[in-house]
Amino acid sequence: MEQLFDIKKRIRSVDQIGQLTRAMQLVSAAKMRKSKAQLAQVLPFFSLCAESMLEIQRSNRDIDNPYFRLRKKKLGETWKIGYFILTGDQGLAGAYNHNVIRISEDHIRGKILDNVNKGLKTEYTLYVFGNVGREKLARDGYFVDKEFSFPISEPTYYEARAVADTIRHKYMAGEFDLVYLVYTKMESSINMKPIITRVVPVNTDALVAILPNGTNDAGMALEKGAALTYHPNPEDVFSFLIDTYLNAMLYGALVEAYASEQTARMMAMDNATQSADDMLKDLTLKSNQARQSKITTELIELVNGANQVQ
Amino acid sequence: MSEGIEKSTAKTMMLEVVTPYHHFFEGKVEAVVLSALDGELGILPGHAPVVVALTPGITHVTVNGKHRYAVMMEGFAEIGPFMTVVVCNAAEWPENIDVERAQAAYERAINRYRDETQNPQERIYARNSMRRAKMRLQLVADHGTEEQMKKLRDMHTV
């Protein structure tokens, strides 16, 4: 019977895909565990930097530092914006890449519209980590810096520092007025949220938002509202703070994005494996039925044949 | 703040050293000497609140009357009467330093720094990494294990 043969063929292919997704799930699970451990190590550093920035800005409303000052634009002038977008190098991670790309596109469109309404021009450049996002955004007609290519997997602090240096350099040279970072934040092990945050000029509200929940007061050496002094002088301390802050921001975001990607892929592959198993069960049942009915038909044919001979 | 003054006569304070890769140190200390931008800065319990910029250098901690030394890279420290928080790019105990690697990094950096054809930004990087490597070597030379010191001597006599 033709049908039985077809079902067997499908069973084979589903089984093979199932094996593939199961293997990918195992790989992602291993990578996820590793990246989560890395994330747990970087979080205290990351949140301490953010907290210090917050505390210092709170107690010094009038500090004058280019990294804190939002540049002012007159009618007809141009806002130059740099976006650093963290996507994955590979697909098959559920909605992970899609979500990051979607909020980036929404944000860019929103910014342009907003500036047009105010009579300002907008210039933006996208710096995309990960092939999937880079190709998709370039295909969608956004202005992507093609030279910029950076490995997204297993980020190191050293790499983060190189990117942070680029940001610092371009910001101070006036190539950017605003720099945004788009990445996926891990709210919990099953909940990942894409977020956009402004890196420079430093945005205090955004800082509060990216801090891990409930760590707002943890480990502060300084009493709130205490008069602070800076040694040797505020400028030097700030330049170090900004340095460390930018590095920490980038590194934290890279680690978090990588952990999110692996988690998303693991979940997607888990679902795929489960679907494959379900399908396999279904197909096996069908194949058994088909075999059964084939045997029944053959039996009937035999009995009929025997009857006729008699 | 009167309560603060009372407490500040305590003999110890908390020290926390945080780096991107690990929680380097957390515990009660009697004193800590940090390498600030303009030289070493000693902190005792009850210090007035101050934020200090740190440059690569050797940090000296006193725990239970014992002295410990570590190398810390650029970062900053928040100092309060009861607690000091150091946030820096890297921190290492002498026994964890890879002497050969530090020496290689030092030579690489010094060559890049001396190369006049490099752009100024590149030379600043080189100078910074030169300083980092030098501080690691310095720490090993002063407080490293016998084995590390021997390695260091061997390298310098070659």
Side-chain angles (χ1 to χ4, degrees):
Chain A
M1 208 201 242
E2 190 68 59
Q3 212 200 346
L4 184 60
F5 183 70
D6 282 345
I7 293 171
K8 287 235 160 115
K9 218 162 119 190
R10 276 198 69 197
I11 288 180
R12 246 197 323 275
S13 75
V14 169
D15 193 37
Q16 269 164 10
I17 292 170
Q19 273 174 15
L20 204 79
T21 54
R22 197 167 292 125
M24 281 184 77
Q25 189 202 339
L26 286 177
V27 171
S28 304
K31 281 187 180 167
M32 184 202 78
R33 266 197 296 279
K34 219 169 116 191
S35 54
K36 266 196 179 160
Q38 200 183 2
L39 184 65
Q41 312 232 282
V42 76
L43 272 181
F45 178 75
F46 184 52
S47 38
L48 260 176
C49 280
E51 270 171 28
S52 309
M53 290 289 275
L54 270 178
E55 184 58 30
I56 286 166
Q57 213 189 16
R58 251 202 300 258
S59 48
N60 297 269
R61 285 268 164 224
D62 51 340
I63 36 168
D64 193 35
N65 186 296
Y67 286 104
F68 283 95
R69 207 182 316 125
L70 191 61
R71 289 172 188 158
K72 290 192 174 64
K73 296 285 169 182
K74 288 196 203 74
L75 213 64
E77 281 185 327
T78 312
W79 274 107
K80 293 177 205 145
I81 312 178
Y83 284 94
F84 286 79
I85 302 169
L86 274 54
T87 69
D89 263 338
Q90 289 161 326
L92 292 177
Y96 171 78
N97 288 311
H98 173 78
N99 282 344
V100 172
I101 291 165
R102 184 177 44 89
I103 66 158
S104 315
E105 289 181 348
D106 286 350
H107 194 267
I108 296 165
R109 274 199 299 269
K111 267 278 163 206
I112 293 175
L113 197 68
D114 200 30
N115 285 340
V116 165
N117 287 342
K118 286 183 196 149
L120 296 163
K121 292 195 199 83
T122 320
E123 250 176 44
Y124 68 87
T125 315
L126 307 184
Y127 297 85
V128 190
F129 294 74
N131 294 327
V132 177
R134 188 177 314 120
E135 277 158 25
K136 172 80 165 71
L137 285 163
R139 208 165 46 235
D140 287 358
Y142 289 90
F143 187 75
V144 178
D145 188 328
K146 297 223 168 54
E147 304 281 293
F148 185 85
S149 160
F150 221 80
I152 189 83
S153 61
E154 291 170 26
T156 65
Y157 189 67
Y158 188 76
E159 290 166 351
R161 195 151 65 180
V163 181
D165 277 338
T166 319
I167 296 179
R168 241 187 323 267
H169 178 74
K170 294 207 170 181
Y171 180 73
M172 289 317 273
E175 283 179 53
F176 295 147
D177 298 312
L178 295 165
V179 176
Y180 288 95
L181 186 63
V182 190
Y183 69 101
T184 309
K185 186 177 185 287
M186 260 177 92
E187 299 268 280
S188 68
S189 52
I190 47 158
N191 185 14
M192 282 151 291
K193 203 173 89 192
I195 58 166
I196 291 195
T197 165
R198 196 176 80 199
V199 192
V200 278
V202 178
N203 180 356
T204 12
D205 299 336
L207 273 180
V208 178
I210 58 165
L211 274 177
N213 303 334
T215 55
N216 206 1
D217 297 320
M220 278 299 298
L222 307 169
E223 283 171 47
K224 290 227 157 47
L228 271 180
T229 47
Y230 299 96
H231 185 87
N233 55 55
E235 287 73 30
D236 281 336
V237 174
F238 271 119
S239 79
F240 268 77
L241 255 181
I242 298 277
D243 212 63
T244 318
Y245 156 80
L246 265 180
N247 294 344
M249 269 294 259
L250 255 296
Y251 183 61
L254 277 169
V255 173
E256 201 147 3
Y258 185 59
S260 304
E261 185 193 342
Q262 295 307 334
T263 313
R265 178 162 303 122
M266 198 195 74
M267 273 157 60
M269 287 302 112
D270 190 31
N271 286 341
T273 311
Q274 224 149 65
S275 307
D277 283 347
D278 287 350
M279 248 167 118
L280 221 51
K281 230 187 250 165
D282 225 39
L283 285 172
T284 316
L285 190 69
K286 267 193 196 149
S287 104
N288 285 345
Q289 275 170 351
R291 199 188 62 226
Q292 198 75 67
S293 70
K294 192 178 148 194
I295 292 168
T296 315
T297 328
E298 275 170 7
L299 264 178
I300 290 170
E301 277 166 7
L302 256 172
V303 170
N304 280 348
N307 280 345
Q308 257 156 32
V309 170
Q310 274 177 358
Chain B
M1 282 304 273
S2 64
E3 196 198 347
I5 291 162
E6 258 171 56
K7 273 192 190 165
S8 68
T9 53
K11 290 265 167 47
T12 58
M13 62 177 167
M14 280 297 286
L15 173 69
E16 215 178 317
V17 182
V18 183
T19 75
Y21 289 113
H22 55 316
H23 222 107
F24 179 71
F25 185 89
E26 188 170 0
K28 287 203 160 91
V29 298
E30 283 119 60
V32 53
V33 180
L34 299 167
S35 69
L37 268 188
D38 55 352
E40 294 200 322
L41 184 72
I43 315 286
L44 291 172
H47 199 285
V50 57
V51 179
V52 184
L54 303 176
T55 183
I58 293 168
T59 302
H60 171 175
V61 191
T62 316
V63 191
N64 290 332
K66 285 196 198 91
H67 300 296
R68 291 196 77 179
Y69 299 86
V71 62
M72 284 183 199
M73 299 314 166
E74 52 277 84
F76 63 93
E78 281 181 5
I79 293 151
F82 319 113
M83 190 170 187
T84 295
V85 179
V86 178
V87 180
C88 63
N89 287 346
E92 276 162 61
W93 297 116
E95 54 269 27
N96 298 340
I97 291 173
D98 185 338
V99 182
E100 276 131 14
R101 202 175 138 192
Q103 180 69 26
Y106 181 66
E107 278 158 21
R108 215 169 36 237
I110 207 161
N111 287 335
R112 249 187 321 154
Y113 179 62
R114 285 190 182 142
D115 184 0
E116 305 263 339
T117 56
Q118 295 271 19
N119 68 44
Q121 192 61 42
E122 196 57 43
R123 289 186 70 197
I124 292 173
Y125 286 152
R127 198 184 57 200
N128 290 341
S129 51
M130 197 169 81
R131 192 173 159 78
R132 284 195 290 268
K134 199 173 162 186
M135 282 303 145
R136 283 198 171 99
L137 292 173
Q138 181 74 48
L139 182 68
V140 169
D142 293 347
H143 309 287
T145 60
E146 282 299 316
E147 198 186 329
Q148 280 174 320
M149 284 195 202
K150 190 174 169 293
K151 252 189 208 167
L152 202 62
R153 270 196 303 275
D154 289 348
M155 265 189 293
H156 285 290
T157 49
V158 170

